[in-house]
């Protein structure tokens, strides 16, 4: 088969485009042809911080068409438009059976992550468990977001057990934080406070449901003022910064919850404030929930017009320009939130 053009981790802090052979699907696998991909904040962590070897194809968010399937894959056929979860599950181990496919005991981190979506072709393991067909009514952009950041952002709110009418503060309005903001509105939050300083992200946050936006430098004081000194019921840390995590604890009321979806790869340890604001609060962390049913549920929110996250896509680029897209995304230039990569 023809060569596969893909973005790979070339070395620490560097990606490159590379030609490689198109793989053949083994048992349980599906071979997909990319229609749409993007760059995630986790990709930056993988390139800059994680011990993932050079030469590994990058990308774990994509919409694609089925090219071929291996033995045991009966639910998909050539030409199906599909998405796959960014984190694999085998569907059979105890963690998968209890609904936590993102921490599958068979696929162990970091190799439980889908790789290769920033390429023309890529493989999906345990396809029957980890893939879902995209409904005709759902555009590629909405389907793609269901594979990672939408599922992650919504899970941050689910795991915090946010109740109707709760006040919530969401620290950072990057791609994941914006999904958290949309989730808070969809879940019925009463007062949604976003923490952000970039104008383009502030505008999208307001569009997705933020009632107030405060600057990071004064966030704690402003949130306490806006809540009459009580604090919020839920604070979400969506940046991956130790200082931001500490601020999230400082603005949560007694008995409230801090929910973290940040990746703290740049920190060997993180600490909590010792002024008492960590006492009698719940602290939950979340990895992206996966699996075919989760994908269908996320896509149905777009399918039936409950949530529209397409405004997150601010830039369109060709797959061949992925290295430049990394530079754009890494440095947050030109108001970038998400880059749509197409063949």
């Amino acid at each position: 088969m023809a060569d596969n053009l893909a973005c790979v981790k070339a070395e620490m802090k560097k990606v490159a485009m590379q030609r490689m052979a198109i793989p053949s699907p083994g048992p349980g696998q599906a071979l997909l042809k990319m229609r749409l991909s993007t760059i995630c904040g986790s990709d930056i962590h993988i390139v800059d911080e994680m011990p993932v070897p050079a030469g590994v194809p990058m990308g774990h968010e994509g919409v694609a068409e089925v090219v071929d399937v291996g033995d045991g894959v009966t639910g998909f056929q050539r030409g199906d438009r599909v998405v796959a979860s960014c984190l694999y599950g085998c569907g059979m181990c105890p963690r998968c059976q209890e609904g936590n496919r993102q921490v599958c005991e068979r696929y162990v981190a970091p190799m439980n992550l889908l790789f290769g979506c920033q390429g023309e072709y890529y493989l999906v393991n345990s396809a029957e468990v980890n893939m879902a067909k995209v409904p005709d009514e759902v555009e590629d952009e909405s389907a793609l977001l269901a594979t990672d950041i939408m599922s992650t952002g919504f899970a941050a709110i689910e795991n915090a057990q946010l109740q109707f009418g709760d006040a919530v503060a969401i620290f950072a309005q990057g791609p994941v934080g914006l999904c958290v903001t949309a989730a808070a509105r969809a879940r019925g939050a009463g007062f949604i406070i976003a923490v952000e300083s970039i104008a383009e992200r502030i505008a999208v946050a307001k569009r997705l449901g933020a009632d107030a936006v405060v600057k990071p430098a004064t966030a704690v004081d402003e949130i306490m003022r806006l809540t009459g000194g009580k604090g919020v019921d839920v604070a979400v840390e969506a940046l991956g910064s130790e200082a931001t995590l500490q601020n999230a604890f400082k603005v949560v009321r007694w008995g409230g919850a801090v929910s973290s979806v940040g990746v703290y790869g740049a920190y060997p340890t993180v600490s909590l404030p010792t002024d008492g604001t960590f006492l009698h609060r719940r602290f939950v962390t979340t990895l992206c929930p996966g699996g075919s049913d989760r994908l269908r549920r996320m896509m149905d929110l777009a399918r039936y017009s409950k949530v529209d996250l397409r405004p997150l896509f601010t830039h369109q680029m060709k797959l061949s320009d992925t290295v430049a897209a990394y530079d754009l995304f890494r440095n947050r230039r030109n108001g970038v939130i998400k880059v749509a990569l197409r063949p």
Side-chain angles (χ1 to χ4, degrees):
M1 298 180 72
D3 285 346
N4 174 23
L5 177 65
C7 178
V8 303
K9 178 176 180 177
E11 57 188 71
M12 292 298 286
K13 300 187 178 182
K14 184 178 179 180
V15 296
M17 300 306 294
Q18 182 175 313
R19 292 279 180 182
M20 56 184 62
I22 297 175
S24 298
Q29 292 182 322
L31 175 64
L32 306 185
K33 183 177 182 180
M34 187 269 273
R35 291 170 53 99
L36 174 67
S37 187
T38 190
I39 300 168
C40 178
S42 297
D43 290 321
I44 304 300
H45 290 292
I46 290 168
V47 173
D48 290 358
E49 301 157 6
M50 295 177 64
V52 174
V56 169
M58 294 296 298
H60 53 268
E61 296 174 287
V63 181
E65 293 182 0
V66 175
V67 175
D68 196 7
V69 297
D71 291 342
V73 180
T74 61
F76 302 93
Q77 59 186 7
R78 182 187 295 269
D80 285 344
R81 185 167 62 118
V82 298
V83 288
S85 295
C86 67
L87 292 176
Y88 288 133
C90 69
M92 297 177 288
C93 74
R95 300 291 76 78
C96 285
Q97 290 187 44
E98 71 185 13
N100 286 306
R101 288 180 172 145
Q102 65 272 36
V103 288
C104 173
E105 293 182 355
R106 175 182 173 189
Y107 295 113
V108 180
M111 302 315 292
N112 64 333
L113 183 67
L114 173 63
F115 284 95
C117 294
Q118 294 162 12
E120 293 173 315
Y121 297 88
Y122 56 96
L123 289 172
V124 174
N125 294 332
S126 300
E128 292 281 352
V129 174
N130 297 302
M131 284 194 343
K133 295 179 184 178
V134 180
D136 292 340
E137 304 92 330
V138 177
E139 296 183 7
D140 283 353
E141 289 83 354
S142 294
L144 178 142
L145 294 171
T147 66
D148 183 359
I149 64 169
M150 180 184 183
S151 184
T152 301
F154 276 57
I157 291 296
E158 294 170 85
N159 288 348
Q161 299 175 12
L162 183 139
Q163 304 295 311
F164 291 113
D166 274 354
V168 56
I170 301 144
F171 285 82
Q173 294 294 289
V176 175
L178 288 166
C179 290
V180 177
T181 297
R185 181 173 68 173
R187 188 83 167 188
F191 185 26
I192 301 172
I193 306 169
V195 180
E196 184 55 66
S197 60
I198 299 174
E200 293 84 359
R201 298 184 178 195
I202 291 172
V204 177
K206 291 179 178 178
R207 182 172 175 178
L208 294 178
D211 299 297
V213 181
V214 300
K215 298 296 179 62
T218 57
V220 172
D221 290 341
E222 280 295 293
I223 291 168
M224 297 307 291
R225 182 185 66 81
L226 289 168
T227 57
K230 183 184 74 171
V232 294
D233 302 289
V234 172
V236 180
E237 201 289 314
L239 182 63
S241 161
E242 180 178 33
T244 308
L245 179 64
Q246 292 178 353
N247 285 343
F249 273 92
K250 291 177 181 179
V251 301
V252 170
R253 65 166 174 82
W254 291 103
V258 172
S259 179
S260 172
V261 287
V263 177
Y264 304 93
Y267 302 89
T269 61
V270 292
S271 59
L272 302 182
T274 57
D275 59 1
T277 53
F278 71 96
L279 295 173
H280 201 68
R281 277 86 170 169
R282 278 192 309 114
F283 181 34
V284 294
T285 62
T286 298
L287 290 173
C288 179
S292 55
D293 183 63
R294 178 71 176 186
L295 289 167
R296 284 191 288 267
R297 289 173 182 269
M298 293 294 101
M299 287 190 289
D300 275 353
L301 290 171
R303 182 181 187 182
Y304 299 111
S305 302
K306 301 300 190 295
V307 175
D308 184 4
L309 295 172
R310 290 173 296 176
L312 272 63
F313 284 96
T314 55
H315 291 69
Q316 307 279 332
M317 299 180 74
K318 302 289 286 185
L319 173 65
S320 56
D321 295 325
T322 301
V323 174
Y326 265 84
D327 179 68
L328 173 72
F329 182 78
R330 180 196 297 276
N331 294 294
R332 301 179 183 178
R333 290 190 286 105
N334 302 331
V336 66
I337 297 177
K338 292 289 276 186
V339 181
L341 298 171
R342 302 183 191 278

